[in-house]
Every structure is written in structure tokens, then in C-alpha cells.
Amino acid sequence: MTTFLPDFVIEKYARALGVVVRERKVDPVMLVWTLVLGFPAGSKRTIASLRRRFQQVASITIARSSFHDRLTGLLADLIKRLVDWRLAVQKKSITKNAAKRLDGFSELLALDSTVIGLHQMLAHRWASTQPGQAAAKLHMVTNVVSGTANSVKMTGQTRADIGPWKTVGSWVKNCLLMVDLGYYDFHLFRRIAKKGGFFLSRAKSNANPRIVASHQRVAGNSINLVGQKLQDVLARLERRIIDVEVEVPVKLRKYRGRSRTAKMRMRLVGQKHAETGQYHLYFTNIGPETLGADEIAQTYRLRWQVELLFTRLKTTMRLNQIPSSKPEVVKALIYASILALLLSNAFLQVLRQINPGRTYPAQRMDAVFRDFATVILLHIAQKRGARRIDLFKLMTAEAADPNRNRPGSHDILSAIPLAHKPDTVAFEEVSA
């Protein structure tokens, strides 16, 4: 843990943000780690189960209201900043070795999003496509080689996929970014190219650019594609592969109230499906000297890595269990799930490096990580110098009904005399 997320990094950001004022009562390091590694507590992730786990590992008792008061917007900002810090460190590590693994690109990236259902009281903050419901959309750039996230953004479900990526930074330089039809936008492709990056996207079935050049030599009485519109010739083609240069219009931002349009040239690759006879079409700015037409289609299939990442987040890291109607708690738990996945991936990369002859599936690693999360959390607590805890006292406090004035079946049972005196000796103090 000292290399993945050192204590001093958490403490530095916690102090800068003012997350915890009374550090003697609540250790910010243990609070963060409890949210990250406390997800296996209970059959579902709940605030109550996280509070109990925090008490166990931090060796303190904390009232329900007091624990809830700690789950602030500042804490959510802290965990998000820790995710960003870890992604930056991870990216540097990957970049150092990228040249050894990739040919022509510094990174192979995939961009996609997934939807997370939230409490309906949050509909004003994160609107869903379903009336009266709430849902957030998590946008993620994934490195398909390492299987880890490079960048994360969160919006409401109704926000278009392309929305958070209106601007593209220098991070895309020399990278190949693969996108699905949700991000199909010529303006986005132009921005990626202007930043020195490469894009690869499925083309819409009704795409109809003008063909300006061909990268193929086709024998026989083949159709001359140059100068033709794609849809005018597509149905008549018999060839297995299409590899041409096309020109498309790109709508630019208005300047002094006037609409502007630019022309952009890019490569269009088509691969005919053996069973359906339909072409799978792709737009890219990767030259044929770098990737052949068949390699373009094969490379695009690597996009499934981002789908796998979302599946791992929801099934193992409990991203789909957000038990709160408070925006700050929602953000904290979402970013805690992402941090947990990054830690699982870090373990996975270490195992693959020290045992290159063995196979370590990512989802199996997640299951093992989930089962050992509590042990890891206790190990961190020991390193932090957690004191001994009165286990019986803690269990007694937790077992009591917080609603003292509410009658229940226990009132009837309490009238039945016990057969013998409870054996409190069995509950001796144990080491945290």
C-alpha cells in the first residue's frame, strides 16, 4: 500500500482540502481506506456497514450522526483527487514501457461510458432518461493494454456521451483513441488529429462521404471508387475489403455569429461480414503503412476492454450499490469503487510480472481481492498503529436498536427469563 497510495499523499491532500479537522478522533487515512476497501462488508454496501468496518479497523467508536457528518463534499473531492493522483502515477509508469510493447503509438486507449442508477431524490442533480428517476453516467478512458483507467469523468445520464470531451488535451498526442458510435463526431476527430493523436471509430451505416483516393489495387473490371459517394457504390461492391481516402464536412464553432464548415480528409476502411454480407465501416487517420485494413478491424475489437472494466466495477467493486441520496456521498462512493479497482489492477500487474508463465484473469483477481480486502484493511490499520479494541463493548453498542422508543417483537422476548447468565468472559479484548 505504501507505493500504491502512500499515507503522506492522503494526509497532504486531506490537510489541503480541510477534510478532517480533528485528526485525533478520525484518522483521514483510515477513513479513506475504509471507503475503498470496506465494500465487502455485509451482503450489500451500506453506510451502516462502512461505519462498523471503520470502527473495527480504526479502534474507535463513532456515533452514526458523527460518521455521516464526515461524509462531506470535501471528502468526495479528496477521493477524486486521489484517483487523479493514482492515474497520473500509473500513466507515467505505463508510458515508460509503452515503446517496448506498442508499435507506433504511445498508448492504445478506448473511450466509453456506463450508467449508474441512483436514489430518485437526486434527480435534480443527475437526471435520468426515465422521468422522475436519477442516474449518473461514468465516462472513462481505458488503456486497453494494461486494462486500467486513464481518465474518469461523471455527468448525468441525459448528458450526451460527447459532452465531456468538447475539448481534447495534449494527453492524446501519439495515442490511438478508439470510440463507439456514441462519440461519433467529426469535430472530435478533428480535435484529436490537431493534437497529434489518432482516432479509430465505427462509421454510421448511413455515412456518405465522398471518396477522393484509394489505397487498394483491385484487379479486373472493378468499380472505380474515386469521386463517388460511398452510398452510391456500397451495395454494388463485391470486394472483401474497402480501403479508401474520403473527405467529410466538419462543422466548426460559430465565429462572430457566423457558422463555419471545414473539410477534413480521413481514411475509411470497410470489412465485409462473411455471413451477413454487410460491411463494417471504420473512420481513422491511421495510415495504411502503419495498420492494414484487416489490422484496423482487429485493433478496434480491443475496445471490449473498457466494457470489461465497467463489468468489474459493477459486479465486484459494487459500483451499482450507492446507498445514499446525498450527492457528496454518491461521489465519494463512486470514486472509492474506482480506487478499489485500480488497487486490484495494481496487484494483478505485479503478479503478472513476477510470474510471467502463469495466467491471471482480471475478474478472478477481483474476486480474490474482494475476499482479502478486509485483511488488507486490517494490515493498513496495524501499520497506522491502531490500538486494542474492546470487541464486546463495540458489539454491544452496535446490536442495540437505535430507535429506542419503537416497540417491537423484542419487547415480548425480553419478558422471557434467561436460562443462565451470559458468558461475557468469552468476549475478551482482541487485537485490532
Side-chain angles (χ1 to χ4, degrees):
M1 302 307 106
T2 55
T3 56
F4 175 82
L5 189 61
D7 290 356
F8 75 86
V9 173
I10 301 176
E11 291 169 340
K12 180 182 75 173
Y13 285 130
R15 283 194 297 270
L17 292 170
V19 173
V20 178
V21 179
R22 295 174 57 194
E23 290 193 14
R24 295 178 184 177
K25 178 66 176 176
V26 174
D27 181 356
V29 174
M30 289 312 306
L31 182 58
V32 167
W33 278 118
T34 298
L35 296 182
V36 173
L37 295 173
F39 65 91
S43 58
K44 289 185 178 181
R45 179 163 61 172
T46 65
I47 303 301
S49 64
L50 290 172
R51 185 180 68 87
R52 294 189 188 106
R53 186 53 49 90
F54 176 73
Q55 291 182 124
Q56 294 165 13
V57 297
S59 302
I60 64 171
T61 56
I62 183 170
R64 294 170 179 81
S65 59
S66 182
F67 185 76
H68 278 263
D69 289 344
R70 260 63 176 196
L71 305 180
T72 63
L74 291 177
L75 178 62
D77 292 341
L78 169 61
I79 300 177
K80 182 183 184 303
R81 190 167 294 189
L82 294 175
V83 168
D84 293 339
W85 180 87
R86 182 59 207 171
L87 290 176
V89 172
Q90 177 179 280
K91 188 174 181 180
K92 289 180 182 178
S93 175
I94 293 173
T95 303
K96 288 179 181 178
N97 300 318
K100 300 178 183 178
R101 298 195 307 267
L102 307 176
D103 185 14
F105 309 106
S106 60
E107 290 184 275
L108 296 181
L109 305 175
L111 174 60
D112 208 345
S113 64
T114 190
V115 175
I116 309 165
L118 302 175
H119 196 287
Q120 63 181 12
M121 290 181 64
L122 293 168
H124 67 285
R125 179 72 176 269
W126 291 293
S128 169
T129 54
Q130 300 297 319
Q133 301 298 312
K137 185 180 287 186
L138 197 65
H139 308 261
M140 191 174 293
V141 177
T142 304
N143 186 302
V144 300
V145 175
S146 63
T148 58
N150 267 34
S151 179
V152 179
K153 295 184 180 183
M154 196 171 81
T155 66
Q157 186 186 6
T158 55
R159 183 81 180 273
D161 288 343
I162 193 67
W165 310 101
K166 289 295 185 181
T167 58
V168 177
S170 58
W171 57 268
V172 80
K173 185 177 182 180
N174 297 325
C175 295
L176 170 56
L177 182 62
M178 294 174 282
V179 300
D180 69 1
L181 292 178
Y183 301 89
Y184 182 88
D185 184 87
F186 292 150
H187 197 192
L188 173 64
F189 301 162
R190 185 173 184 266
R191 293 196 298 270
I192 294 172
K194 288 179 72 67
K195 289 292 184 178
F198 300 89
F199 61 85
L200 176 55
S201 168
R202 282 289 297 270
K204 289 184 177 180
S205 58
N206 62 349
N208 196 26
R210 184 173 297 279
I211 301 170
V212 296
S214 176
H215 297 300
Q216 293 175 288
R217 290 183 179 180
V218 183
N221 297 322
S222 59
I223 300 174
N224 183 15
L225 302 181
V226 178
Q228 305 268 17
K229 298 282 281 187
L230 177 65
Q231 295 299 328
D232 294 339
V233 296
L234 192 61
R236 296 185 285 135
L237 295 179
E238 298 291 337
R239 63 189 72 175
R240 186 181 67 86
I241 292 293
I242 304 171
D243 195 350
V244 295
E245 195 84 4
V246 299
E247 188 175 76
V248 299
V250 182
K251 293 182 179 180
L252 305 180
R253 293 177 180 174
K254 288 184 178 181
Y255 179 72
R256 293 183 177 179
R258 294 184 179 182
S259 299
R260 300 181 300 154
T261 302
K263 292 183 179 181
M264 179 180 179
R265 292 182 63 154
M266 62 183 72
R267 184 181 175 196
L268 175 74
V269 172
Q271 186 181 60
K272 191 172 235 182
H273 194 279
E275 295 180 2
T276 65
Q278 301 295 314
Y279 282 102
H280 289 174
L281 301 172
Y282 306 90
F283 281 125
T284 185
N285 62 336
I286 304 170
E289 69 282 356
T290 302
L291 289 179
D294 283 322
E295 292 173 316
I296 289 290
Q298 292 170 3
T299 301
Y300 188 79
R301 294 190 189 104
L302 294 173
R303 271 199 66 261
W304 71 271
Q305 283 285 351
V306 69
E307 300 289 347
L308 176 60
L309 204 65
F310 288 138
T311 299
R312 294 169 60 195
L313 275 168
K314 289 185 175 182
T315 57
T316 308
M317 307 304 167
R318 295 186 171 178
L319 182 65
N320 58 341
Q321 296 179 9
I322 309 294
S324 180
S325 60
K326 295 183 178 181
E328 59 272 18
V329 178
V330 168
K331 289 180 64 176
L333 294 180
I334 287 176
Y335 285 110
S337 292
I338 295 171
L339 207 50
L341 182 65
L342 294 177
L343 179 55
S344 180
N345 271 335
F347 278 121
L348 181 62
Q349 296 305 320
V350 170
L351 292 177
R352 287 174 173 173
Q353 289 173 9
I354 62 178
N355 294 304
R358 299 291 299 274
T359 300
Y360 295 97
Q363 288 175 300
R364 181 179 177 85
M365 178 68 237
D366 288 343
V368 173
F369 175 75
R370 176 196 62 210
D371 293 342
F372 280 83
T374 301
V375 178
I376 298 171
L377 191 55
L378 289 171
H379 176 75
I380 295 173
Q382 290 176 351
K383 291 291 184 180
R384 295 289 294 175
R387 57 184 176 80
R388 294 169 66 87
I389 184 172
D390 187 334
L391 182 58
F392 183 71
K393 181 179 179 181
L394 180 59
M395 290 178 65
T396 301
E398 289 300 307
D401 189 343
N403 302 291
R404 298 179 180 180
N405 299 323
R406 182 178 64 187
S409 58
H410 61 272
D411 296 325
I412 301 173
L413 294 175
S414 63
I416 303 175
L418 295 176
H420 55 79
K421 196 174 182 179
D423 185 8
T424 57
V425 181
F427 295 92
E428 296 179 351
E429 287 191 356
V430 296
S431 172

